[in-house]
Amino acid sequence: MSAALIEDTKHILDKLVAFPTISHDSNLAMVDYMADFLGQLGARVFLQHNEDGRKANLFATLGPNKDGGVVLSGHSDVVPVEGQDWSSDPFQMFESNGRLYGRGTCDMKGFLACCLATSRGAAELNLARPLHFAFTYDEEVGCFGAQALVRELARRQIKPAAALIGEPTMMQVIEGHKGCYEYTTNFTGLEGHGSQPDLGVNAIQYAARFITHLLGLSESLKGQAMVGSRFDPPWATIQVGRIFGGAGRNIIAGNCSVEWEMRPVQPSDSALVKQSLDTFINQQLLPEMKTVSPSAAIETIVVGEVEGLQVVAQSEARDIVYEITGANGADVVAFGTEAGLFQEAGISAIICGPGSIEQAHKPNEFVEIDQLKSCLKMLSRLQTKLM
Ligand SMILES: [Zn+2]
């Protein structure tokens, strides 16, 4: 591999790190930089903005205008640095001992830099299949960008065959992860004096019964674990992370919110939970609440439903990555990615990228230059394969 390619990658990564694309802020400056970069190489580029126009997905294509291409996918956003003890400016990349430090170097601007650096070479080739780039917003807060992007691809009738998601896996091939479904369930009761509990509807007490029901479901899910599951733990999990409600000890609680999540392994897991909750709420809790207060309510807000990546017997994406990396085995991981969304849209998906998840989201985040070299090698081989 040429030293110039590595230097170019470092130079691009330095630029990408300098855009402070924390999820709650705009990513437009960085998207414009990448759109310009790819546009100048002759790629067909479109941006897809979010509702308030402060963020955008970037989708670009090199090669022929047809189905069956390969998508290189990564998110443009990074997690915040507040409260973290960095020993240097997180948005100014610096090199030390074969490592590149800075927010996002590992998760996952290092991969984006490799994509951009190798795209110069790809633009010179006569590709037989399209090479696409999908750079999304809001991955870290619920994969909202990718959800919008897969819908947009369908709308534009762009039908890639496979997607390679470059999340940090130390260049190991990852073929599966659980889903991550996040919810807030709000209970609205009826306030009253603590001495007359039957005259009010205690939202906290109904929330407690709801949580007990959730815990029962989480036990049932253990019995639904797939035989030979490689996940740890092997079954789908449910977890209540936050609860708040009520006004004081001697007041019947008028409201309560429960923030909870479920990590399904297979579609039947979430189906079981949703159906059981629906029945419990509509046939037991709500009727009881409404006999005292007709305006009592239970409402569940979907914060995000990031699909799991199912391990499948036939996977073009896995075959391609085995071929271009020389790997002959794939693993599963505990963290969620955008891969499940591509798979759900009918695009074979696999995860393989530079850097370690150990460094993601932490102060003094870094990526090893050797990891970027392996990634550059993989991407160069991919281009040759698409010729
Ligand atoms: Zn990531």
Side-chain angles (χ1 to χ4, degrees), residues 75 107-108 139-140 167:
H75 58 84
D107 185 14
M108 56 184 291
E139 190 272 348
E140 298 289 4
E167 287 280 357

Side-chain angles (χ1 to χ4, degrees), residues 102-139:
R103 171 54 86 223
T105 46
C106 156
D107 185 14
M108 56 184 291
K109 292 178 173 177
F111 177 74
L112 301 188
C114 290
C115 290
L116 292 177
T118 51
S119 69
R120 295 194 210 270
E124 312 268 290
L125 300 175
N126 197 0
L127 298 175
R129 292 170 66 182
L131 177 62
H132 305 285
F133 302 87
F135 300 149
T136 58
Y137 62 85
D138 277 355
E139 190 272 348

Side-chain angles (χ1 to χ4, degrees), residues 24-86:
H24 57 71
D25 295 328
S26 172
N27 72 345
L28 293 182
M30 179 166 136
V31 164
D32 284 344
Y33 166 78
M34 297 191 295
D36 231 45
F37 189 108
L38 290 163
Q40 279 180 23
L41 297 175
R44 300 182 294 285
V45 183
F46 73 80
L47 302 187
Q48 179 191 19
H49 289 83
N50 73 338
E51 271 162 29
D52 66 17
R54 290 170 60 243
K55 298 169 193 170
N57 291 320
L58 178 160
F59 192 83
T61 304
L62 286 169
N65 196 0
K66 62 179 196 183
D67 295 350
V70 173
V71 183
L72 298 176
S73 166
H75 58 84
S76 63
D77 57 323
V78 294
V79 294
V81 295
E82 275 94 56
Q84 293 190 336
D85 190 16
W86 283 74

Side-chain angles (χ1 to χ4, degrees), residues 8 16 35 42-43 72 75 86 91 101 111 126 133-134 140 177 183 223 236 265 273 298 323 332 364 366 369:
D8 191 25
L16 296 182
L72 298 176
H75 58 84
W86 283 74
F91 299 105
Y101 288 85
F111 177 74
N126 197 0
F133 302 87
E140 298 289 4
H177 60 68
Y183 306 98
V265 175
V273 172
I298 301 174
E323 189 184 329
V332 298
N364 304 320
F366 67 84
I369 295 170

Side-chain angles (χ1 to χ4, degrees), residues 200-234:
V201 177
N202 191 313
I204 290 180
Q205 289 173 205
Y206 280 97
R209 286 168 62 185
F210 172 83
I211 292 171
T212 305
H213 190 79
L214 273 184
L215 298 180
L217 283 171
S218 98
E219 280 305 308
S220 332
L221 287 170
K222 290 185 181 174
Q224 275 209 162
M226 279 193 291
V227 181
S229 168
R230 286 179 285 157
F231 289 107
D232 177 23

Side-chain angles (χ1 to χ4, degrees), residues 290-357:
K290 282 182 184 290
T291 51
V292 180
S293 168
S295 60
I298 301 174
E299 189 198 12
T300 293
I301 294 162
V302 180
V303 179
E305 291 186 336
V306 176
E307 296 302 328
L309 177 63
Q310 308 292 319
V311 176
V312 288
Q314 300 286 328
S315 165
E316 182 177 359
R318 186 178 55 212
D319 292 345
I320 290 173
V321 172
Y322 278 177
E323 189 184 329
I324 61 180
T325 61
N328 55 12
D331 211 343
V332 298
V333 286
F335 58 91
T337 75
E338 299 175 334
L341 292 164
F342 284 102
Q343 186 180 54
E344 200 196 15
I347 302 166
S348 170
I350 198 87
I351 308 160
C352 181
S356 164
I357 198 73

